Amino acid sequence: PRCIRFERMRGSVSMLITIGKAVKPFGVKGEMKIESLTDFPERFKDLKSVYLVSPAGKEFMVPVRSVRYAGGVPYLLFKGYDTPEQAKTLNGWLLKIPEQETMPLPEGRYYWYELIGMEVVSEEGEKLGTIVDIFETGSNDIYVMKQGGREIYLPAIREVVKQVDR
């Protein structure tokens, strides 16, 4: 299709959004070095709590006692993890927040999680498929759309994507 638009499918639910990954403990207080997985690394400074999700899928919310930065890298201290040994149990866990707590984006910009699951519709109203994945290239993102049993790749450029309807 020459021109398409995206529409949010009915029944979408709130979700948790990954913003970082616990890398390793630091110091004697149990601080964790965090790998930032967000375009807004400063967002850690205002965290009051965060959901921790293990590689096996175990998930729970934990209060954030303190946040500091060293060389632009966030270090977080979680309540109940006051020693390096306790903090080490969180190595590899993801830090997630409710989608309502994401940073606002400028007009016309979207988080990937907002686009995944959207239905792709032609300008004539024909349903073309659903976005199932997104990946980056050097010049633009590529939307992976499923239609039946096949995948179609759409470049994320204005000439192709005419409208995003949340």
Side-chain angles (χ1 to χ4, degrees):
R2 256 189 27 235
C3 302
I4 58 173
R5 62 189 167 92
F6 299 158
E7 296 178 345
R8 173 59 60 201
M9 295 171 64
R10 289 185 182 87
S12 299
V13 295
S14 181
M15 65 179 74
L16 294 176
I17 307 305
T18 303
I19 60 168
K21 182 177 185 178
V23 178
K24 66 180 181 179
F26 180 83
V28 297
K29 295 180 183 177
E31 281 185 311
M32 284 298 291
K33 179 179 182 180
I34 305 299
E35 175 187 351
S36 177
L37 300 175
T38 173
D39 289 336
F40 303 98
E42 70 281 0
R43 71 131 24 263
F44 292 96
K45 70 178 185 230
D46 296 324
L47 285 178
K48 302 294 183 229
S49 64
V50 68
Y51 287 87
L52 294 174
V53 181
S54 76
K58 180 179 175 186
E59 171 187 309
F60 61 89
M61 188 180 74
V62 64
V64 175
R65 289 182 49 202
S66 69
V67 178
R68 73 175 180 88
Y69 289 83
V73 176
Y75 290 82
L76 277 64
L77 183 60
F78 301 112
K79 184 177 181 178
Y81 295 85
D82 302 320
T83 68
E85 295 76 26
Q86 290 172 322
K88 187 176 182 175
T89 65
L90 301 177
N91 281 356
W93 287 49
L94 297 176
L95 283 68
K96 297 189 175 208
I97 58 168
E99 68 180 300
Q100 309 86 278
E101 294 179 18
T102 56
M103 303 293 281
L105 293 176
E107 183 69 30
R109 301 279 313 264
Y110 305 93
Y111 285 106
W112 284 10
Y113 76 86
E114 293 178 295
L115 299 173
I116 292 175
M118 285 190 140
E119 201 165 73
V120 180
V121 180
S122 72
E123 285 187 313
E124 294 76 31
E126 178 187 359
K127 294 180 181 183
L128 303 173
T130 302
I131 297 176
V132 295
D133 197 8
I134 301 172
F135 62 89
E136 295 178 85
T137 67
S139 58
N140 55 270
D141 290 344
I142 300 292
Y143 301 142
V144 181
M145 179 183 76
K146 279 256 189 197
Q147 181 183 44
R150 65 183 200 162
E151 287 185 350
I152 299 169
Y153 298 93
L154 303 170
I157 56 176
R158 291 193 189 280
E159 294 79 24
V160 175
V161 180
K162 294 299 182 181
Q163 179 185 1
V164 176
D165 181 1
R166 292 189 216 187

